[in-house]
Structures are given as C-alpha cells and as structure tokens.
Amino acid sequence: MTKMFKAGLIATALLAPGAAFAQGTFIPTPTTGDVRPNPPHFTQTSANVFRRMLVETRPKMIEFYAKVLAVQSLNPINFDNGAQMILFKIGSGQIKLATGQQGNRKYHPGQLNEVTGIRTFMLTYPDEAALTARFTAAGYPAPAFKDIGGGRRGALVQDPGGFWIGLIVDPKASPDTGVEVGINVSDLARSRKFYREFVGLEELPPVRDTLLGVTKYPYRRGQTTISLWSVGKNLPQDTGSAGIQYVIDNVVEVDARGKAWKIPVESPLSDLKGFALRTVWLNDPDGVTNYFAQVGVRPGAAAAPAVATPAAPPAN
C-alpha cells in the first residue's frame, strides 16, 4: 500500500465520526491500579490537522489555502454521497478541509482569545514580499506584519471561514516546516497533562509569543507543534472549527487507555466500512478533537488485546 493511498484512507474518516460527543469529566490519572495501556505509538513524523467549513465557503476556502497560503494541494477524496475531503500537504502531514458542521459541536471561528479550543494554525514562510503579493492578488488586504523577535516577522489573518491563521516569516525556515496548532485552554495544568502524559508528545520549554500576546507551552510531534496557552477560565468553547489527527499503530491500546483515564469519547473505537482503517475519536479537557487512526487494519478483524505496562501516576 503506497503512502499516498494510506493518507487517502485516513482522510476518509474525518467527515462522519460514528457517535456524538460524550460529556464527561477528565481525570488526569488512570483508575486501573498500578498499570495502564501503552500511550500512542506514532507512525507519522507529524500530526494532521483539519478544519470543518460551511458548504458555502468551500470555493473561497480552497482558493485561499491553495493559492494565497500556497499550501501544496493533494488529490481530494470523493464520497458516494457527493461530499469531498480537500487535502493539502504541510511538511510530512496534511491540512484537511471537511465540508459541513456537526450539530453537537460548538463553533466560534471569528474569536481568538474569547473562547477555548483550537484558535490558530501557524504557518511559516521564507519570503514576506511573495506572501503579501499573493494576498493582494487574490483581493485580500495585505497582512499587517510586525517584528516578533529572532529575525522573524508575523501577522494574523483569517481564512474565508473566519478561522485565524498565523503567518510567520523566517528567512531561515526549512521547506519542510510543518504547522503549529494554537489552543486556548481553560486549565493549563490539566491540558498540559493531557498532551504530555496521555498523548505522549514531546514537551518543549515555554515561550513568549509577541504576536498572540501570550506565553505558550509547546508540545511537539515531529514537524507539528501543539501550543497551549490560557487567558481565562469559564470561557465558551469552540469544539468544532478544527481538530488534530495522529496516525498510530496501537489504536486498541489508546482506546483502552482513554477508558482507564475516563477521557470523553467523541466517537468510539470502530472500523471504517470498506477501508482498512480503525479509529477512535477522543476529546481533550476543553472538548478539542484528538483523533487516533490506525491504517492497515483488516475490516472485521478482532481487536488485539491491549497490553498493560507498569507506570507511576503522571507527574504534575
């Protein structure tokens, strides 16, 4: 199976998770004694991100990401019901645009720090002039860049659906630089535990972001960085505008691990009909989709038993 075909299989699961969001209380320590199932075992050197968009914004969204942001287009995934998944390559990962919104999700794409949830995708470019020229050529205002330190400049813009995109200009940027996902959270300690201990991402030192005006706590999966910040508790939630996908090879264990930690389930462990793909959709403490996908699972195959390993409770 080619890598491109595998990527296509993964994308097909994004439009129709099998169950509604289940409300629950996040408990940051396992409840099964002194053992717990293994954390995710990643098989992709990045995470994928996705955006849910309204049908009427589809043409402008495709143009914006392909021509203005100049993210490399991949072949879309077409479905029998006429729906389509739009795919873009970002480093070794993908940005996926999914048409349609789910009624059980909450959407506040135009607000930055007034709500919790994924608020930004940060993309890096080597040439400010070329980037600005693409905006103006497409009829958009020129981004208002400012110095953000380290010889870099940055600007915040919104895509046609109102979602915030951070533009970072760094002349030393690698062509394979991926995406940074910015999440405003209600409780930093709780969310840091989730991404460090449950998802198992690499924790980096906190940094001051002068573009956003916040201190960020970054967690990395290869070319993808998930940065957390918090500007207040008891804010409204955006649980639908965007999400994160991890490609792994032990989704059954992740499902068992989620049950042990009592993490809210958005869509339970299941096989995608007609494809060798098994997934489980879980939610972080603020309801952000963290979607785990295992490619190459024969449909209908029995789930392998989860392997439990000794582990001390997560550190603060």
Side-chain angles (χ1 to χ4, degrees):
M1 183 183 295
T2 67
K3 290 183 179 179
M4 186 62 70
F5 183 62
K6 287 183 178 180
L9 290 180
I10 294 164
T12 61
L14 283 172
L15 287 178
F21 170 70
Q23 297 291 340
T25 301
F26 176 82
I27 297 177
T29 53
T31 58
T32 55
D34 62 352
V35 296
R36 59 180 176 179
N38 286 319
H41 181 241
F42 303 104
T43 59
Q44 180 174 299
T45 57
S46 59
N48 300 319
V49 296
F50 62 92
R51 278 272 291 116
R52 293 190 179 100
M53 59 182 178
L54 296 172
V55 174
E56 56 266 29
T57 66
R58 181 181 179 279
K60 285 188 173 296
M61 288 282 284
I62 294 173
E63 177 190 52
F64 184 80
Y65 280 82
K67 294 184 179 180
V68 180
L69 298 182
V71 188
Q72 181 184 344
S73 296
L74 300 173
N75 291 332
I77 303 297
N78 297 305
F79 299 90
D80 291 341
N81 63 1
Q84 191 178 61
M85 174 71 68
I86 310 300
L87 306 179
F88 298 94
K89 184 178 184 296
I90 183 78
S92 62
Q94 294 179 359
I95 296 175
K96 307 167 187 281
L97 304 182
T99 302
Q101 294 185 342
Q102 296 173 287
N104 59 341
R105 301 263 98 187
K106 299 174 183 177
Y107 298 86
H108 300 281
Q111 300 178 43
L112 186 57
N113 280 330
E114 297 84 358
V115 297
T116 59
I118 296 180
R119 310 320 303 141
T120 65
F121 293 159
M122 294 281 191
L123 307 179
T124 303
Y125 297 87
D127 189 331
E128 180 179 332
L131 179 56
T132 299
R134 290 197 298 273
F135 270 81
T136 56
Y140 293 96
F145 285 100
K146 67 176 186 178
D147 293 332
I148 58 174
R152 302 174 305 143
R153 285 168 59 78
L156 287 169
V157 299
Q158 288 176 285
D159 71 17
F163 185 77
W164 290 94
I165 304 293
L167 306 173
I168 307 300
V169 174
D170 183 352
K172 299 177 291 186
S174 164
D176 292 326
T177 299
V179 62
E180 179 181 352
V181 182
I183 308 179
N184 183 26
V185 305
S186 58
D187 185 322
L188 269 172
R190 189 171 61 164
S191 291
R192 291 179 68 188
K193 277 181 180 289
F194 177 85
Y195 287 98
R196 178 184 63 232
E197 302 291 344
F198 181 79
V199 183
L201 303 180
E202 177 188 4
E203 186 172 45
L204 303 178
V207 295
R208 183 65 184 174
D209 188 313
T210 58
L211 182 60
L212 294 170
V214 298
T215 297
K216 300 188 302 190
Y217 294 81
Y219 294 83
R220 182 168 61 194
R221 171 55 203 157
Q223 295 176 354
T224 304
T225 301
I226 296 171
S227 292
L228 313 177
W229 69 83
S230 184
V231 294
K233 298 181 180 294
N234 302 316
L235 297 176
Q237 292 181 321
D238 186 327
T239 59
S241 292
I244 308 164
Q245 179 199 44
Y246 311 98
V247 186
I248 63 174
D249 66 5
N250 65 334
V251 72
V252 171
E253 287 190 85
V254 171
D255 175 60
R257 185 175 172 85
K259 289 182 173 69
W261 287 50
K262 297 191 182 300
I263 292 177
V265 177
E266 182 176 339
S267 180
L269 182 70
S270 62
D271 295 326
L272 183 65
K273 184 178 180 180
F275 295 92
L277 184 68
R278 182 169 289 165
T279 69
V280 63
W281 299 53
L282 303 176
N283 292 128
D284 83 355
D286 291 290
V288 171
T289 298
N290 279 246
Y291 157 41
F292 300 86
Q294 182 174 349
V295 182
V297 180
R298 180 171 54 84
V307 178
T309 53
N316 289 327

